């Protein structure tokens, strides 16, 4: 989203209407802004600013219809139609922009994707040339326990990398496999992977610059079938294991326990996320949107030092 430049007076008013309450962790904030269907341009810009500042934002409220959710998502940029979020076993979407994430079956057919399985740490759609900017998940039905979603601050993961490891990854890229989704299901139209070097998917730099904040972040995508270009498979596996162990340390993360009506928005350019499994006998129904992004790149003019949220966390 291009933040619209409102006058100082109207910005001030929007800040008063939009309250941002950071979590006690190193990322995440609750944004209190009243009815999300009634945001004016200044309010929407303040909400988006909170996303850039805190990496993940939570808005609590009422259940939105799909058209309302789509209208809300469009306030933050052009929506993506998720062409690969399909295994072929789920029902056709009612709205092209809304992906249903659910374990519920209707007449024996899945109404959505990802089932009740654990969803491994990942950054959404890293397997595409232009991965997503943001994703938004709206909770319609949640299980009594389990199914929490966790986030990792990838600016902080990069900022806290040991110097030798930073040097080791300088200039390297990861090949991001697109064969399986984050619950381990084979996507429609893909064949299982037998050699990670030949898996279908783009190369992206291991460190990317966030084009809107200007800070660098570690960009790992997802672990299964990843490959660091130019290394032997054994060297690549070893280095990836080290980077993943570093990036998913609990002190770099924050986990959210869902309530119906919640909307979480996260910035895929600087966070990874993960979902805990939950009781298959309970229902979990979430509606998801995703925003179009840019091709990951490392810029020579990126900002030095820590992203302000990481800096606050390290104090
Ligand atoms: C996702 O990875 O988009 C789903 C996360 C969740 O179901 O909590």
């Amino acid at each position: 989203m291009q933040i619209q430049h409102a006058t100082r007076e109207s910005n001030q008013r929007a800040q008063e209407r939009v309250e941002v309450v950071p979590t006690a962790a190193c990322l995440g904030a609750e944004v209190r802004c009243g009815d999300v269907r009634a945001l004016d341009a200044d309010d929407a810009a303040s909400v988006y600013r909170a996303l850039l500042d805190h990496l993940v934002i939570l808005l609590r409220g009422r259940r939105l219809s799909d058209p309302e959710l789509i209208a809300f998502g469009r306030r933050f940029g052009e929506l993506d139609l998720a062409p690969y979020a399909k295994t072929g076993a789920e029902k056709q979407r009612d709205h092209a922009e809304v992906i249903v994430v659910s374990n519920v079956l209707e007449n024996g057919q899945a109404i959505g994707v990802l089932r009740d399985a654990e969803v491994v740490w990942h950054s959404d759609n890293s397997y595409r040339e232009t991965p997503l900017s943001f994703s938004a998940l709206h909770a319609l039905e949640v299980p009594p326990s389990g199914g929490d979603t966790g986030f990792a601050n990838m600016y902080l993961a990069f900022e806290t990398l040991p110097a030798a490891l930073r040097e080791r990854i300088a200039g390297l890229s990861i090949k991001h496999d697109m064969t399986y989704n984050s619950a381990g299901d084979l996507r429609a139209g893909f064949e299982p992977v037998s050699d990670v070097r030949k898996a279908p998917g783009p190369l992206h730099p291991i460190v990317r610059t966030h084009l809107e904040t200007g800070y660098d972040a570690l960009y790992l995508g997802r672990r299964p079938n990843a490959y660091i270009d130019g290394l032997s498979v054994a060297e690549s596996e070893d280095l990836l294991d080290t980077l993943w162990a570093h990036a998913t340390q609990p002190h770099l993360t924050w986990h959210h326990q869902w309530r119906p009506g919640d909307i979480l928005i996260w910035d895929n350019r600087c966070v990874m996320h993960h979902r805990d499994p939950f009781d298959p006998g309970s229902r979990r129904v979430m509606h998801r949107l995703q925003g179009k992004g840019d091709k990951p790149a490392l810029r020579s003019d990126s900002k030095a030092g820590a992203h302000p949220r990481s800096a606050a966390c390290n104090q």
Side-chain angles (χ1 to χ4, degrees), residues 23-194:
T23 68
C26 64
L27 74 167
E30 182 177 342
V31 173
R32 297 175 186 157
C33 58
D35 185 345
V36 298
R37 297 169 305 175
L39 296 178
D40 68 16
D42 287 334
D43 294 338
S46 295
V47 172
Y48 191 73
R49 181 75 249 165
L51 177 66
L52 296 178
D53 290 347
H54 299 281
L55 293 54
V56 185
I57 53 173
L58 165 67
L59 299 104
R60 292 200 187 270
R62 69 178 83 203
R63 183 182 163 136
L64 300 185
S65 67
D66 283 344
E68 288 169 342
L69 184 64
I70 292 167
F72 174 61
R74 286 199 179 126
R75 308 300 301 274
F76 309 116
E78 192 182 347
L79 298 180
D80 178 83
L81 300 186
Y84 300 104
K86 292 180 188 144
T87 64
E90 66 281 350
K91 160 178 177 258
Q92 205 173 342
R93 297 181 205 151
D94 292 339
H95 297 270
E97 297 87 348
V98 176
I99 306 141
V100 178
V101 175
S102 184
N103 64 322
V104 171
L105 301 179
E106 271 174 13
N107 302 321
Q109 191 185 22
I111 64 166
V113 293
L114 301 182
R115 303 172 283 116
D116 46 41
E118 176 178 359
V119 170
V120 295
W121 282 107
H122 67 286
S123 172
D124 282 327
N125 288 206
S126 66
Y127 53 83
R128 290 168 69 182
E129 286 293 341
T130 51
L132 306 175
S133 51
F134 70 88
S135 303
L137 200 58
H138 180 38
L140 302 183
E141 293 182 61
V142 300
S145 64
D148 297 355
T149 307
F151 298 89
N153 179 340
M154 300 301 282
Y155 293 123
L156 189 54
F158 175 63
E159 291 150 9
T160 55
L161 269 185
L165 204 46
R166 264 200 205 208
E167 271 169 40
R168 174 96 179 85
I169 62 171
L172 294 181
S173 294
I174 293 179
K175 190 168 202 315
H176 295 253
D177 172 43
M178 65 195 305
T179 310
Y180 302 91
N181 71 17
S182 47
D185 301 319
L186 194 63
R187 292 184 201 285
F190 286 87
E191 295 295 324
V193 172
S194 53

